[in-house]
Amino acid sequence: MADVAGQLAGIPLFSGLLRAQYEALSRIGVSRSFRKGERIFSEGDEGTGFYVVCGGRIKIFKVSTEGKEQILHLCGPGESFGEVSVFTGQGFPADAVAALPSTVLFFPRVAFSSLIRQDPALALNMMAQLSMRLRQFAGLIEDLSLKEVPGRLAKYLLYLSGRDGKGTVNLDVSKGQLAALLGTIPETLSRILAKLNRRGLIRLRGAQIRILDRRGLEEIALEGKRLP
Amino acid sequence: MADVAGQLAGIPLFSGLLRAQYEALSRIGVSRSFRKGERIFSEGDEGTGFYVVCGGRIKIFKVSTEGKEQILHLCGPGESFGEVSVFTGQGFPADAVAALPSTVLFFPRVAFSSLIRQDPALALNMMAQLSMRLRQFAGLIEDLSLKEVPGRLAKYLLYLSGRDGKGTVNLDVSKGQLAALLGTIPETLSRILAKLNRRGLIRLRGAQIRILDRRGLEEIALEGKRLP
DNA sequence: ACATCCCTTTGACGGATGTCAAAGCCCTTT
DNA sequence: AAAGGGCTTTGACATCCGTCAAAGGGATGT
């Protein structure tokens, strides 16, 4: 906790700033902790500032009137969320809940806004961050509308295996949550996992999945190939 | 053409700047025209700058390996596109084609980037713009994953009718394109329109649609109500 | 060890949507 | 007017997926 300014340097949103800037940031940032399942904000809440994840995982999601949820993003350490409301001035566009015990830094809107006004470099970082998010969203939209669930799942498994660099991946969220991330429901996810298992593409062992046929998964992810 | 700087003031991305700033912008902006159907850029192309629509309509979309397209956005006059690549430095994340004969202003990446570096106000406008887009995308993701096609169509019809402020709306794109915007195919769209027509919610007349039962459409848009 | 709770899996079923095919329509061209 | 092409509509059909229901499994607490 001593060197908050030092921690900030490791966050993409704030990379490449000067020492004095980190100190200014650390003066306006407030640390907050949340228990698993605790809510950070709800859709429509007034956006009084934005957050950066220090530890844990924050789930950003939308809920339909019938209660089904679509996860927009799972924010891990170093990632920021809620920035949109800083600029639009409208309420938060989605809900945020801690998917794990989490610690975040909160940056109040007005204080941060005036910082940006003085500091083009900070603004550029922020724009890059927003752009990246935009790109991710474009990808998610593409997946949701152009691929079927097996394709989205295959893509996610490959993503996890690439991130961890291993042939065995650990699901970092419950399968129900994974279903919400993929835009489907637990039953469907379960069936498709079972099918991939039977086909020999993966080996299922609870929350551990070993990738057996990477090429096959890639075909499904790219072409939405059938699995009869 | 004389007062490019004056035109710029009407664009959200550039609102509230000083005269000198508009002149700086007009010096680096290049006007380009495209015929209907002409391509501005393709996914993966190097992002050498971004665009602002002066007239016409630009379609931003993703294409699956099988050729099906999902429209991300239809940009009208005053809207910008391609900004993301200015900051990420990666290629464009989607395709852009003129849906109508169109005129755009092109702002080269390096020149604009240095402008921003000197000008926090411009940066703030840009961030607001990116944030707005992000919010739109979040909405689109929600719709695609939480609503069925009738709900998305009803929402779009209400949006058009609200924008034009009339009970009769003119589809500004072909029905095939509308299908792509809603994340479906022409056949499905046609069937659902016919169903809404039979139910007396709308009156179909080619590309003209009269809204007969606004309340009914709202129910479908919000609750994804059945239409048996 | 047992009970309980929640997550996950499996099965049966129906509805919505995409695919394939063909006919209808409108607009332009000859 | 006739012919052609592209968009739109309609039909038949397969299938994916969500819903409902119930059983299985693992973890926690008593």
Side-chain angles (χ1 to χ4, degrees):
Chain A
M1 273 305 162
D3 188 19
V4 176
Q7 286 183 11
L8 293 176
I11 296 173
L13 183 59
F14 302 140
S15 67
L17 298 180
L18 301 173
R19 182 77 201 172
Q21 298 172 321
Y22 288 125
E23 279 161 9
L25 280 169
S26 66
R27 270 194 297 278
I28 67 171
V30 182
S31 183
R32 292 187 185 173
S33 289
F34 296 90
R35 284 188 299 277
K36 177 175 175 175
E38 205 171 350
R39 180 172 296 265
I40 291 102
F41 55 74
S42 297
E43 177 166 356
D45 285 1
E46 190 192 353
T48 56
F50 74 98
Y51 301 80
V52 172
V53 181
C54 297
R57 190 147 306 200
I58 307 293
K59 176 174 74 171
I60 311 293
F61 62 105
K62 289 260 197 183
V63 181
S64 76
T65 51
E66 294 94 18
K68 187 180 154 194
E69 75 177 45
Q70 167 68 50
I71 297 179
L72 297 179
H73 194 65
L74 287 169
C75 298
E79 291 187 279
S80 53
F81 63 97
E83 316 95 321
V84 171
S85 70
V86 172
F87 302 104
T88 65
Q90 303 167 308
F92 288 114
D95 297 85
V97 162
L100 298 175
S102 303
T103 308
V104 305
L105 275 175
F106 175 72
F107 293 91
R109 189 165 69 84
V110 280
F112 186 75
S113 212
S114 67
L115 257 192
I116 280 190
R117 242 173 270 278
Q118 306 155 15
D119 197 336
L122 180 51
L124 281 170
N125 276 354
M126 196 129 192
M127 281 189 267
Q129 196 75 5
L130 289 173
S131 300
M132 223 95 93
R133 183 83 35 92
L134 219 28
R135 187 177 286 266
Q136 279 178 11
F137 275 18
L140 181 52
I141 291 171
E142 179 183 11
D143 291 346
L144 285 173
S145 62
L146 303 180
K147 293 189 180 122
E148 301 175 345
V149 182
R152 308 206 285 271
L153 172 60
K155 183 177 169 184
Y156 187 71
L157 290 177
L158 291 170
Y159 156 71
L160 281 184
S161 123
R163 194 184 64 173
D164 305 353
K166 293 186 296 196
T168 302
V169 303
N170 270 305
L171 297 184
D172 44 1
V173 291
S174 78
K175 292 189 179 168
Q177 292 294 294
L178 175 57
L181 184 64
L182 298 176
T184 186
I185 55 175
E187 292 96 320
T188 297
L189 173 62
S190 182
R191 279 184 248 271
I192 294 174
L193 276 172
K195 202 179 280 186
L196 290 177
N197 193 41
R198 259 181 273 124
R199 293 254 158 295
L201 292 162
I202 62 175
R203 161 125 271 112
L204 261 179
R205 241 172 31 226
Q208 286 218 355
I209 297 175
R210 164 171 300 180
I211 311 272
L212 296 180
D213 182 356
R214 170 173 253 96
R215 173 61 56 87
L217 286 179
E218 283 166 353
E219 278 181 5
I220 294 169
L222 259 67
E223 310 188 18
K225 230 183 125 201
R226 292 289 161 77
L227 3 152
Chain B
M1 271 305 164
D3 189 20
V4 176
Q7 287 184 11
L8 292 176
I11 296 172
L13 184 60
F14 301 140
S15 68
L17 298 180
L18 300 173
R19 182 79 201 169
Q21 297 172 322
Y22 288 124
E23 279 162 10
L25 280 170
S26 67
R27 269 194 298 277
I28 67 171
V30 183
S31 182
R32 292 189 186 174
S33 290
F34 296 91
R35 284 188 299 276
K36 177 175 174 175
E38 207 171 346
R39 180 171 296 265
I40 291 101
F41 55 75
S42 298
E43 177 167 358
D45 284 1
E46 190 192 353
T48 56
F50 75 98
Y51 301 81
V52 173
V53 181
C54 298
R57 191 148 305 203
I58 307 294
K59 176 175 75 172
I60 312 292
F61 62 104
K62 289 259 197 182
V63 182
S64 76
T65 52
E66 294 94 16
K68 187 179 152 194
E69 75 177 43
Q70 167 67 49
I71 297 179
L72 297 179
H73 195 65
L74 286 170
C75 298
E79 292 187 279
S80 52
F81 62 96
E83 316 94 322
V84 171
S85 70
V86 171
F87 301 105
T88 64
Q90 302 167 309
F92 287 114
D95 297 84
V97 163
L100 298 175
S102 304
T103 308
V104 304
L105 276 175
F106 174 73
F107 293 91
R109 189 165 69 87
V110 280
F112 186 75
S113 211
S114 67
L115 258 192
I116 280 189
R117 241 172 271 275
Q118 306 155 15
D119 196 336
L122 180 52
L124 282 171
N125 276 354
M126 196 130 193
M127 280 189 268
Q129 196 74 6
L130 290 173
S131 300
M132 224 95 94
R133 183 80 38 89
L134 220 28
R135 188 177 285 267
Q136 279 178 13
F137 274 19
L140 181 53
I141 291 170
E142 179 182 9
D143 291 347
L144 285 173
S145 61
L146 301 181
K147 291 188 180 125
E148 302 178 343
V149 182
R152 308 204 285 270
L153 172 58
K155 183 177 169 185
Y156 187 71
L157 289 177
L158 291 169
Y159 156 71
L160 280 184
S161 124
R163 195 185 63 174
D164 304 354
K166 294 185 297 196
T168 302
V169 303
N170 271 303
L171 297 183
D172 46 359
V173 292
S174 78
K175 292 189 179 168
Q177 292 293 293
L178 176 56
L181 185 63
L182 298 176
T184 185
I185 56 174
E187 292 96 320
T188 297
L189 173 63
S190 181
R191 278 185 249 272
I192 295 174
L193 276 173
K195 204 179 280 185
L196 291 176
N197 193 39
R198 258 181 275 125
R199 293 253 156 296
L201 291 161
I202 63 175
R203 161 125 271 112
L204 261 179
R205 241 171 34 225
Q208 284 216 357
I209 297 176
R210 164 170 301 179
I211 311 274
L212 297 180
D213 181 357
R214 173 175 251 93
R215 173 62 57 86
L217 286 179
E218 284 165 353
E219 278 180 4
I220 295 170
L222 259 66
E223 310 188 18
K225 230 185 124 198
R226 290 289 160 80
L227 4 153

